[in-house]
Amino acid sequence: MIRGFLSDVLAKWKRFRWQGLVKVWAVFMVIALVLLVESLGLHYGATRFDITYLDRDKAIPAANAIAGEKATNLLVVDSSQEGVSDAEAMLDQILLDMKVPTTTVDVADENAEFPALNHYGTIVVAMPNLDRLGEHVLQIMQWAKKGGGVMFAMTPEKTGYLDVIGPQIGIESSTYEYVATEGITPSEDFMLGGVRHTRSVTRSNRR
């Protein structure tokens, strides 16, 4: 009886038109079953971290943290030049947030005495016209050659003193004339990832 039933089923299977689709469906079902069994056997876990925040009452303001500390940075400004006062205010806040003890000297003040540079580790110059510094520019560059760190926070204007120190701060050439260009294409070694992300900047895609 069982043999007859199997023979009947086999005969019907041979006459079935969609045998190929059934085989494909069976393969997919087997794959799905294998993936299900595998996923049920994998367990994931994560380490729990407890973040403890500092109490407001225990937080020390930056101004208090550096109060009484010896200044390690010299900020040189010229308040008589346009835009310098705004730049000074911004730099004061940045240096305060970084907790860098700073001494500020304003060359526009005739009574101000330019301090000895060997008392500082870094110097920030915030003025576009460096001629106002006079020979102090050369002193700063000599100090930098001995290991000091100097940063020009504002784009220097082309002046006689800039021509003198230009090669020392990476300016290969400069001119009083402006040249119009249709676009800029950075070289591959201009910045990290430049080989894969080199992109031209033209007038059509500027924002």
Side-chain angles (χ1 to χ4, degrees):
M1 182 176 178
I2 295 178
R3 182 179 299 177
F5 174 76
L6 294 176
S7 299
D8 186 47
V9 171
L10 182 60
K12 290 182 179 179
W13 170 253
K14 290 181 178 180
R15 293 193 303 270
F16 187 61
R17 296 178 53 187
W18 311 107
Q19 294 184 26
L21 292 177
V22 174
K23 294 178 181 179
V24 173
W25 175 81
V27 171
F28 277 108
M29 289 300 295
V30 172
I31 294 174
L33 181 60
V34 171
L35 293 176
L36 177 62
V37 173
E38 182 181 5
S39 64
L40 292 176
L42 296 178
H43 300 280
Y44 298 91
T47 304
R48 181 176 179 179
F49 296 95
D50 294 327
I51 301 177
T52 303
Y53 294 95
L54 184 66
D55 294 337
R56 289 182 177 273
D57 297 337
K58 297 181 180 180
I60 302 176
N64 295 347
I66 62 177
E69 294 288 334
K70 181 181 178 180
T72 59
N73 179 71
L74 177 63
L75 176 60
V76 184
V77 300
D78 179 9
S79 58
S80 66
Q81 297 187 39
E82 184 180 359
V84 172
S85 297
D86 293 336
E88 180 184 1
M90 180 183 65
L91 289 168
D92 285 340
Q93 186 61 51
I94 292 174
L95 294 169
L96 177 61
D97 292 340
M98 296 175 64
K99 298 181 180 179
V100 179
T102 300
T103 296
T104 301
V105 58
D106 186 356
V107 297
D109 183 0
E110 297 180 354
N111 298 323
E113 182 178 353
F114 204 84
L117 303 182
N118 57 5
H119 293 164
Y120 305 95
T122 56
I123 296 177
V124 179
V125 180
M127 65 182 71
N129 191 331
L130 300 180
D131 283 1
R132 290 283 298 179
L133 278 174
E135 294 185 356
H136 292 307
V137 176
L138 305 180
Q139 295 175 7
I140 291 174
M141 298 313 299
Q142 289 295 326
W143 168 84
K145 282 185 177 181
K146 297 178 182 179
V150 59
M151 181 184 76
F152 295 90
M154 302 182 70
T155 303
E157 296 176 355
K158 181 171 175 58
T159 61
Y161 276 103
L162 180 63
D163 290 340
V164 174
I165 69 171
Q168 301 178 52
I169 59 176
I171 301 176
E172 297 181 357
S173 63
S174 61
T175 178
Y176 288 99
E177 299 177 357
Y178 291 96
V179 178
T181 179
E182 293 297 328
I184 300 174
T185 302
S187 60
E188 292 185 351
D189 59 349
F190 176 73
M191 62 186 300
L192 293 176
V195 177
R196 294 181 298 168
H197 304 288
T198 300
R199 182 174 183 270
S200 298
V201 179
T202 62
R203 291 188 177 184
S204 60
N205 61 21
R206 286 187 304 176
R207 295 291 184 270

